[in-house]
Amino acid sequence: MPHTLHEADPRWVGLKEAADRIRLQARAVAADNERDRRLTPELIDALRDSGLMRCGAPETLGAAQAPPALSLECAETIARGDAATGWCVSIALTSSLLAARLPEKGAAETLGDPRAIAAGVWAPRAKARPVDGGVVVSGRWSFCSGITHADHFFGGCVLDDGSGDKDGAPTLRAVGIPTAQLRIVDTWHTSGLRATGSHDAVAEDVFVPAHRVLALDGGPLIDAPLYRFPIYGYFALSIAAAALGNARGAIDDLMDLAGHKVATGSRRSLAEKPATQAAVGQAEAALRAARAFFYSAIDDAWQAACTGETVTLGLRTGLRLAAAHAARTSAEVVRAMYDLGGGSAIYDSSPLQRRFRDATTATAHLQVSPATWETTGRILLGVPTRVAQL
């Protein structure tokens, strides 16, 4: 079913309306967000109240359990106002998916509160040592987007039970830890996406009860289409959704500028110049095409998840291709709008400058990096490829 039909379900009424309201709020405070390197308290309150930050959690917790296309479209909408805010929504909603992989008690503790926000880094950057009733975790995770406003953090770990690797591979787990039990290290001094507050988080011998330990590569404990949808593909798509919204916002910003900017020595506004018109037309076509592929790939995989069929390797490959293509095309669109802005775009006060820095920072994420082309290309060519996290 097309993702546009999801809006009719009463469980999801209001999510898109909330996203559009927050888009305007995020746009208005984008400069404040960037200056403080975190989202404003008022914006966080609005996000908590909207339910968007945990809309991937099970409906048994009172959450929306919304389809991927709807959740991602909401993140995209908010990123149109401010890329960093949309990025934080993407990270929170993907983290909320993990509630379906936790025992009931763990899900309730981490995401049972209607205003709960979770962050996460699934890469196994810590060690978890089994003890009676759970594990003791120590390690340091980088790129913890949203950690400054999250209540819980899901961190990837290597389970160190003294038995060594199984079949040559370590045993991987993720643990849900209250952020109050972590030490946050102020490391996020970057060119772009500054307001995501993606600092390092450190766990020092933190006890995590067994009901907050989960296996990312194991099956979810709830059988529903959302949790049959490929979780790693969803993660890549969430990065791309923020990039798509940022690109749309860059076109918005350029259009605002083009109507009144007149270059020195010229009598025509930027909008009246043929070169501007051609560049905007090409950017619009590129962005619409990337977005169409993005949601088409999601709908194809969602159809399989809804019918109970296996989401095949081909469908999973499509998700990763669509995510990488959307993120990288979005960056090209933003660059084109930044170039059109000329001297006006180089100042810190220009939203196009912030869009440009945010776009290039987003493409550095591993999930949408150029390495994706090699992995997907190997699969398309029939070359043996490790696909566990595709």
Side-chain angles (χ1 to χ4, degrees), residues 148-166:
T148 56
H149 55 250
D151 306 297
H152 279 81
F153 173 78
F154 288 105
C157 303
V158 175
L159 187 63
D160 185 12
D161 59 5
S163 62
D165 296 347
K166 297 178 181 179

Side-chain angles (χ1 to χ4, degrees), residues 166-218:
K166 297 178 181 179
D167 300 322
T171 301
L172 303 182
R173 295 289 184 267
V175 294
I177 303 175
T179 52
Q181 296 180 11
L182 298 170
R183 179 165 58 89
I184 310 303
V185 185
D186 186 353
T187 55
W188 194 243
H189 298 270
T190 57
S191 60
L193 294 173
R194 294 174 184 171
T196 62
S198 304
H199 305 293
D200 287 10
V202 180
E204 297 167 333
D205 292 328
V206 175
F207 172 72
V208 181
H211 60 262
R212 282 197 264 115
V213 179
L214 62 102
L216 283 170
D217 293 330

Side-chain angles (χ1 to χ4, degrees), residues 288-350:
R288 288 193 195 187
R291 190 174 186 273
F293 178 27
F294 180 83
Y295 285 107
S296 175
I298 293 171
D299 282 341
D300 289 344
W302 180 247
Q303 288 278 12
C306 284
T307 58
E309 299 174 5
T310 299
V311 181
T312 64
L313 178 59
L315 292 172
R316 287 182 284 144
T317 301
L319 294 177
R320 297 305 298 272
L321 282 169
H325 182 256
R328 308 199 77 79
T329 299
S330 294
E332 293 168 3
V333 167
V334 175
R335 176 58 188 259
M337 298 302 98
Y338 175 81
D339 285 346
L340 287 174
S344 300
I346 67 174
Y347 291 93
D348 286 343
S349 58
S350 169

Side-chain angles (χ1 to χ4, degrees), residues 3 6 15-16 19 52 55-56 66-80 85-87 89-95 97 226 229-246 291 294-299 301-302 319 322-323 326:
H3 72 279
H6 295 319
L15 286 179
K16 288 190 67 174
L52 288 166
C55 64
L70 178 59
S71 297
L72 293 167
E73 189 174 6
C74 288
E76 177 193 5
T77 295
I78 292 171
R80 183 175 183 175
T85 307
W87 184 283
V89 173
S90 285
I91 295 301
L93 70 88
T94 52
S95 297
L97 294 169
L226 177 59
F229 193 89
I231 191 168
Y232 289 107
Y234 199 133
F235 186 25
L237 293 164
S238 73
I239 301 305
L244 285 168
N246 186 51
R291 190 174 186 273
F294 180 83
Y295 285 107
S296 175
I298 293 171
D299 282 341
W302 180 247
L319 294 177

